[in-house]
């Protein structure tokens, strides 16, 4: 009876996932190996040819302006000393994943007005920590891929040390978008990287890429297994994203997730724009230690 109950639960969840995948329009069209690349209209709306008639998630005008703004390459860093100055008012989103998972293609699909980002089939193209800035409101950080790469072992170790330093010390970092190839699901290297994120207490969100290479059923099974594997991790975001950088399916959902991390701005009575701050409760403010203050004052009076 327990096995039958579990099977029924998974069947219902898979059915919900299948409906969600159909709505995203990331699956490949019948009779074609891959769908056609994004057109201009699809890049602007973040929808794919397979999601016609389906409403993309609502994006605020502020978020739309960020992703419509020109993308600038703020810094290319081969070591930790060349990292740009930390600006807490500009949130940073790190994009991580195995080599050849499609990080560069993901970044191209993410920004509407795209700058040249090199993409190759050979793993290990990204050999630096690249900081991209969108409209001076958001920084997207492209981390070197982990796992297999055409590079010397000492160079791979240097990349690992640089990534560790970034994850450990970078204060503006709000979330890590962990890209997983939907054809393979989570691998040992991905699980090890997740443990590292847990150790550094970094919030992360899984993004299944290259979804256009699968049909609905195998894609739903991979998504189901991935959600099950990360359910026990405290730093994992509950929402699992699925996208295709080629046809644009699911890109609007990714933009909505990133847009939620951009500080909102409001206009005061004078008409000037200011940041909307989150309300703070009285409990968050630590109470002063009165006994320690009295003891310190008594010691200072004796010294005088």
């Amino acid at each position: 009876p327990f096995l039958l109950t579990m099977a029924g639960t998974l069947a219902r969840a898979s059915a919900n996932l299948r409906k969600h995948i159909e709505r995203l329009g990331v699956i490949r069209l019948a009779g074609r190996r891959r769908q056609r690349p994004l057109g201009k209209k699809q890049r602007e709306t973040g929808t794919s040819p397979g999601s016609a008639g389906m409403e993309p998630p609502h994006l605020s005008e502020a978020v739309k302006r960020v992703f419509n703004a020109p993308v600038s390459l703020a810094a290319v860093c081969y070591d930790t000393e060349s990292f740009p100055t930390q600006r807490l008012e500009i949130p940073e989103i790190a994009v991580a994943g195995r080599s050849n998972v499609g990080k560069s293609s993901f970044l191209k699909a993410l920004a509407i007005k795209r700058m040249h980002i090199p993409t190759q089939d050979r793993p290990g193209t990204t050999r630096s920590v690249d900081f991209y800035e969108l409209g001076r409101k958001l920084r997207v950080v492209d981390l070197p891929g982990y796992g297999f790469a055409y590079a010397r072992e000492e160079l791979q170790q240097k990349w690992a040390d640089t990534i560790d330093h970034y994850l450990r010390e970078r204060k503006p970092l709000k979330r890590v978008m962990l890209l997983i190839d939907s054809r393979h699901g989570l691998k040992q290297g991905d699980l090890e990287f997740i443990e590292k994120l847990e150790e550094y207490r970094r919030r992360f969100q899984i993004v299944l890429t290259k979804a256009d290479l699968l049909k609905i059923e195998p894609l739903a099974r991979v998504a189901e297994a991935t959600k099950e594997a990360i359910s026990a991790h405290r730093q994992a975001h509950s929402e699992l994203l699925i996208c295709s950088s080629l046809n644009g399916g699911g890109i609007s959902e990714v933009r909505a997730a990133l847009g939620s991390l951009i500080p909102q701005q409001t206009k005061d009575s004078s008409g000037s724009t200011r940041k909307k701050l989150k309300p703070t409760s009285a409990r968050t403010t630590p109470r002063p230690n009165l006994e320690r203050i009295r003891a310190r004052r008594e010691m200072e009076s004796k010294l005088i």
Side-chain angles (χ1 to χ4, degrees):
F2 174 75
L3 293 177
L4 290 176
T5 304
M6 288 297 295
T9 303
L10 291 177
R12 287 194 298 272
S14 297
N16 293 333
L17 270 175
R18 285 197 295 269
K19 293 179 181 178
H20 177 64
I21 292 169
E22 289 178 357
R23 186 184 68 81
L24 292 177
V26 295
I27 59 172
R28 61 183 179 184
L29 298 177
R32 299 180 185 177
R33 292 194 63 187
R34 297 198 76 176
Q35 296 183 10
R36 291 173 295 178
L38 268 63
K40 180 179 179 182
K41 184 176 181 180
Q42 282 127 21
R43 285 201 304 269
E44 292 176 351
T45 58
T47 57
S48 73
S51 60
M54 299 178 182
E55 291 293 330
H58 175 72
L59 299 179
S60 65
E61 291 300 322
V63 174
K64 290 180 181 179
R65 284 195 297 270
V66 170
F67 288 103
N68 276 289
V71 183
S72 60
L73 183 58
V76 177
C77 308
Y78 292 93
D79 51 47
T80 58
E81 296 179 356
S82 55
F83 283 173
T85 304
Q86 303 190 50
R87 299 176 62 183
L88 298 179
E89 69 274 13
I90 301 181
E92 292 182 1
I93 310 297
V95 179
R98 289 177 57 85
S99 297
N100 205 28
V101 75
K103 289 192 286 86
S104 297
S105 299
F106 174 78
L107 291 174
K108 279 188 174 183
L110 189 62
I112 295 173
K113 295 183 180 179
R114 300 171 292 179
M115 65 178 299
H116 175 68
I117 302 174
T119 57
Q120 296 181 14
D121 291 332
R122 185 176 182 180
T125 301
T126 305
R127 303 195 172 199
S128 57
V129 179
D130 300 336
F131 290 77
Y132 295 95
E133 197 163 296
L134 285 72
R136 298 183 180 181
K137 299 293 183 181
L138 180 69
R139 276 180 178 172
V140 180
V141 184
D142 185 10
L143 299 178
Y146 53 85
F148 178 77
Y150 289 98
R152 299 188 307 273
E153 185 176 351
E154 58 269 21
L155 186 57
Q156 294 187 40
Q157 184 59 45
K158 181 181 179 182
W159 293 346
D161 295 340
T162 304
I163 293 174
D164 287 352
H165 184 275
Y166 175 82
L167 295 175
R168 186 175 59 251
E169 304 294 342
R170 200 70 183 178
K171 294 181 180 179
L173 178 59
K174 299 301 180 182
R175 187 174 300 176
V176 177
M177 309 301 287
L178 183 56
L179 307 190
I180 303 296
D181 193 327
S182 59
R183 298 172 298 176
H184 310 301
L186 290 170
K187 290 190 174 183
Q188 183 60 35
D190 302 316
L191 297 175
E192 293 174 358
F193 190 79
I194 288 175
E195 291 299 329
K196 185 179 299 185
L197 295 175
E198 289 285 337
E199 179 185 352
Y200 297 146
R201 297 183 180 179
R202 290 298 187 181
R203 190 78 167 159
F204 68 93
Q205 187 167 10
I206 299 293
V207 183
L208 293 181
T209 63
K210 303 182 181 182
D212 59 285
L213 292 173
L214 295 176
K215 294 182 179 180
I216 292 181
E217 187 60 32
L219 182 57
R221 287 199 298 265
V222 172
E224 210 39 86
T226 304
K227 291 183 67 175
E228 181 67 23
I230 66 172
S231 60
H233 295 279
R234 300 183 62 180
Q235 300 301 325
H237 196 279
S238 59
E239 182 185 7
L240 182 126
L241 298 173
I242 306 173
C243 72
S244 167
S245 301
L246 183 70
N247 61 39
I251 294 299
S252 286
E253 282 72 13
V254 176
R255 290 176 183 159
L258 299 185
S260 65
L261 302 175
I262 301 175
Q264 299 181 7
Q265 293 185 343
T266 57
K267 290 186 177 181
D268 54 20
S269 58
S270 62
S272 59
T273 304
R274 58 187 179 88
K275 290 185 178 180
K276 184 178 180 180
L277 302 177
K278 294 182 179 180
T280 56
S281 60
R283 295 181 180 179
T284 59
T285 304
R287 295 183 178 180
N289 193 325
L290 299 180
E291 294 182 359
R292 183 175 296 179
I293 293 175
R294 293 193 191 99
R296 184 175 181 179
R297 287 180 178 176
E298 291 177 359
M299 184 179 296
E300 290 177 350
S301 61
K302 291 179 179 179
L303 293 175
I304 294 174

